[in-house]
Amino acid sequence: MASMDVPADTPRQAERAEVRATARPTLSWVTLALMTTASVASLRAAPTMAVYGLACVFLYLVPAIVFLLPTALVSAELASGWSGGVYRWVSEGLSKPLGFLAVWCQFAMTIFYYPSLLAFVASTIAYVIDPSLASNGLYTAIVIMVLYWTGVWVSSRGTKALAGLSSWGLIIGTLIPGTLLVVLGMVFLGQGNASAAPMTSDHLLPAWTGLASLVLIVNNFLSYSGMEMNAVHVSSLKNPAKEYPKSMFLAMGLVLLIFILPALAISWVVPANQLSLTAGVMQAFDAFFSHFHIGWMTPIAAVMLISAALGGMLTWLAGPSKGLLEISRSEGYLPPFLQKLNKFGIQQNILVTQGVVTTVIALLYALIPNVSNVYWIFSTITTQVYLIVYLLMFVAAMRLRKTQPDHPRGYRVPALGLLCTVGLLASLAALAIGFVPPSQFGSGSVWSYVLLIGSGLIILGLLIPWAFLKFRKPGWRTEAAEEGGTS
C-alpha cells in the first residue's frame, strides 16, 4: 500500500496545484482600496492637525505623496514576490538579524501605540462622565491600565467574537461620526458663524515660526503607516500591474478626505489654544451639539468612537506579537519564557510582559501634568520606532532588485529606485524632525524632549533587539525550521 501511495500522490498534487492556479481568489481594485482605507483611516489624529486649521491640507498631502505612495507601491512588489511580510523581505534583501529588527520594531511600536490609543478612549469616556476628567492624568492612567489588562485577558483566551469589530470600525467609529462632524461644521458655517481658525488662502501653509511649526507633520507618517499590511492582497487582483496603482490612488484620496475634512471641522469650532490632542474630537462634537441644542447626542458619539477604538485594539493586540512569536520559535530570537503558549494557543507571556511595560508608561500620564504633552511624546516615539521598519524595507527593496532581478514578482514598481529614494529620504527627515518639540510645548526644555524621544527610540527600537540577538542561545529555537538554509 505504501509503495502505491507514492505514484498515486503525484498527479493528485499536480491536480491540486492546477486547481489553485485556476481558482485563485480575486479582489476588485475598488474592494482593495476600501480595505486599505479601513485599515489606515481614523479620526484619532484629527485634533493633532486641527491645530493648524486650513494648513492641515498641506500637512496631510505632503506625507501622502512622499511616504504613503512609495510605501504602498514598494510593499506591493515585495509582497507579490516574497510571502512572510516585512521579516522575509528584509531577511532576503539584507540579513536575518535586520529582518528580526524590522519585525521587532513592528511589534514594539504597539507598546507606545496602545497607551496613546487608550488615552484617546479615556478622554472620550470622560465626555460621557465628566468632561473635566479629560485633562486628568491619574484618571487617564487608570483607564489605560484597566482597558489594556482587560484586552490582554480577552486576547489570551483566544476569543474571536470581538474581532469583527475591526471590520465595522470604519463605519461605526470613522465614517458616521466623521461625516456627522463635517456636516455639522458646514451647517455651522452656513448659518453665518465665524470659523475659529482662519479659512483664507493666506493660511494654506503653516505659519513659519521655526522648525517646530512643521513638527506635527511627523505624526502623519504614523497615520499613514500600515500600508504594507495590505500589500499581501496584490496577488488577488486580476491585473496587478494596472489595478494596484489605481487601487492605491483611490485609497489615498479616500484616506485624505477622511483625515482632512474632520480636522477642518474641528478647527472651525474649537480654537487651537483650547484644543486637546486626546479629546479634540469630543470637544468639537460637544461644541456643535451644544450650538444646535442636541447635547443628548454627545454620549452617542462617544460610544461610537470608543467601540471602534476598542475593537481595533482587541484585533491588533495579539497580531504583531503573534508574528514575532512565530519567527522567534523557528529562529530562536526570544527566550523560551516569551515563546510559551497557554492552553488556548495564545502567546500569553508576551502579552503580559508587554502589559507590564504599558502599565509603567500609563503611570507617566499620572506624573506629567499635561496629558496632551504625554500623548504627543508617545505618538512621536511610536512613529520613530516604526520608521525603522520603513527604512529597512526601502533599502531591502532596492537591494533585491539588484541581487534577485529575475525572482518572480506579480507586480513590478515603475521607477523603483526613485520611489525608494523618496520614501527613504522622507522617512529620514521625519526621524530627524521628530526630535524637535512642537510649538505647543512652549517654554518646555528642548533637551528634555530630545532625551525622552531619543531614549524611547534607542532603548525600544535598537537596544532591546540587539540584546536579544547578542545573548540568544541555540536552545531558544523551540520549533525546527522546516525550510532550512538561506537563499
Side-chain angles (χ1 to χ4, degrees):
M1 290 294 289
S3 60
M4 294 176 63
D5 286 341
V6 176
D9 197 43
T10 305
R12 192 177 300 123
Q13 287 179 340
E15 185 181 344
R16 287 198 197 105
E18 186 177 348
V19 169
R20 281 196 300 270
T22 56
R24 181 170 61 98
T26 57
L27 281 176
S28 73
W29 64 272
V30 175
T31 301
L32 181 57
L34 293 175
M35 288 169 61
T36 303
T37 304
S39 64
V40 174
S42 168
L43 293 181
R44 194 167 63 90
T48 309
M49 288 297 107
V51 172
Y52 277 69
L54 191 58
C56 75
V57 178
F58 170 82
L59 293 172
Y60 269 124
L61 197 57
V62 170
I65 294 170
V66 301
F67 179 75
L68 173 64
L69 198 56
T71 299
L73 297 180
V74 170
S75 60
E77 172 167 325
L78 293 171
S80 69
W82 294 269
S83 61
V86 71
Y87 172 76
R88 175 86 186 279
W89 306 340
V90 177
S91 294
E92 292 275 352
L94 300 173
S95 68
K96 282 191 173 184
L98 288 177
F100 171 68
L101 175 62
V103 79
W104 166 265
C105 288
Q106 206 172 45
F107 158 76
M109 76 94 181
T110 63
I111 293 175
F112 284 95
Y113 171 74
Y114 290 125
S116 61
L117 172 67
L118 294 176
F120 166 77
V121 173
S123 63
T124 305
I125 294 172
Y127 269 82
V128 180
I129 306 169
D130 177 5
S132 66
L133 288 173
S135 58
N136 187 305
L138 180 60
Y139 157 79
T140 303
I142 292 171
V143 172
I144 290 173
M145 288 187 284
V146 170
L147 291 180
Y148 183 83
W149 283 107
T150 302
V152 169
W153 180 80
V154 171
S155 297
S156 67
R157 302 187 71 78
T159 303
K160 301 294 183 183
L162 294 177
L165 276 175
S166 64
S167 60
W168 285 95
L170 179 67
I171 299 172
I172 296 174
T174 302
L175 289 183
I176 294 176
T179 302
L180 182 60
L181 203 58
V182 174
V183 170
L184 289 173
M186 293 176 73
V187 174
F188 176 79
L189 295 181
Q191 290 180 338
N193 296 292
S195 169
M199 289 289 124
T200 61
S201 58
D202 296 337
H203 295 85
L204 278 171
L205 296 178
W208 182 253
T209 57
L211 191 58
S213 63
L214 285 177
V215 168
L216 287 177
I217 200 171
V218 173
N219 198 53
N220 289 349
F221 280 73
L222 181 62
S223 298
Y224 292 133
S225 65
M227 294 295 289
E228 76 281 2
M229 304 293 183
N230 292 285
V232 298
H233 300 295
V234 66
S235 58
S236 296
L237 296 172
K238 290 181 180 178
N239 188 346
K242 290 184 178 180
E243 293 183 341
Y244 192 80
K246 289 198 311 186
S247 178
M248 287 305 101
F249 280 115
L250 175 58
M252 191 165 79
L254 292 173
V255 167
L256 284 172
L257 286 176
I258 292 172
F259 279 151
I260 291 171
L261 294 182
L264 285 175
I266 292 172
S267 73
W268 295 337
V269 72
V270 183
N273 60 356
Q274 298 175 20
L275 190 62
S276 164
L277 297 188
T278 55
V281 178
M282 287 310 301
Q283 280 181 307
F285 272 126
D286 196 41
F288 282 136
F289 292 154
S290 297
H291 176 79
F292 292 109
H293 308 291
I294 48 175
W296 55 270
M297 285 190 66
T298 300
I300 297 175
V303 169
M304 294 172 73
L305 294 171
I306 291 166
S307 63
L310 292 180
M313 185 197 79
L314 287 170
T315 305
W316 278 90
L317 193 57
S321 59
K322 184 177 181 181
L324 180 66
L325 172 86
E326 290 175 350
I327 291 162
S328 297
R329 286 174 69 86
S330 63
E331 299 291 340
Y333 290 132
L334 296 180
F337 171 78
L338 293 176
Q339 297 183 35
K340 287 182 180 176
L341 304 177
N342 65 10
K343 62 180 181 180
F344 299 102
I346 303 298
Q347 57 282 7
Q348 183 171 303
N349 288 0
I350 291 182
L351 294 177
V352 170
T353 304
Q354 184 180 3
V356 172
V357 179
T358 301
T359 299
V360 174
I361 294 171
L363 291 174
L364 291 176
Y365 277 93
L367 299 174
I368 300 177
N370 192 323
V371 172
S372 286
N373 280 6
V374 186
Y375 176 85
W376 176 258
I377 289 169
F378 289 162
S379 294
T380 303
I381 291 174
T382 301
T383 306
Q384 301 288 78
V385 171
Y386 210 4
L387 282 170
I388 294 175
V389 177
Y390 293 110
L391 290 172
L392 292 170
M393 186 187 82
F394 287 127
V395 174
M398 288 191 289
R399 195 158 186 276
L400 282 169
R401 268 288 183 98
K402 290 182 179 180
T403 59
Q404 301 185 39
D406 299 324
H407 184 89
R409 294 162 170 86
Y411 171 72
R412 282 182 177 265
V413 183
L416 176 78
L418 176 62
L419 278 176
C420 285
T421 301
V422 170
L424 200 61
L425 292 176
S427 299
L428 287 170
L431 202 64
I433 293 173
F435 287 99
V436 182
S439 52
Q440 299 99 303
F441 277 75
S443 58
S445 170
V446 174
W447 290 111
S448 295
Y449 182 85
V450 171
L451 184 63
L452 276 171
I453 301 299
S455 299
L457 173 62
I458 292 171
I459 294 172
L460 190 66
L462 299 174
L463 195 56
I464 294 177
W466 174 83
F468 281 132
L469 289 170
K470 177 73 174 176
F471 299 106
R472 68 171 172 160
K473 297 175 172 51
W476 288 11
R477 188 171 177 173
T478 57
E479 183 181 282
E482 292 184 7
E483 296 182 10
T486 57
S487 59

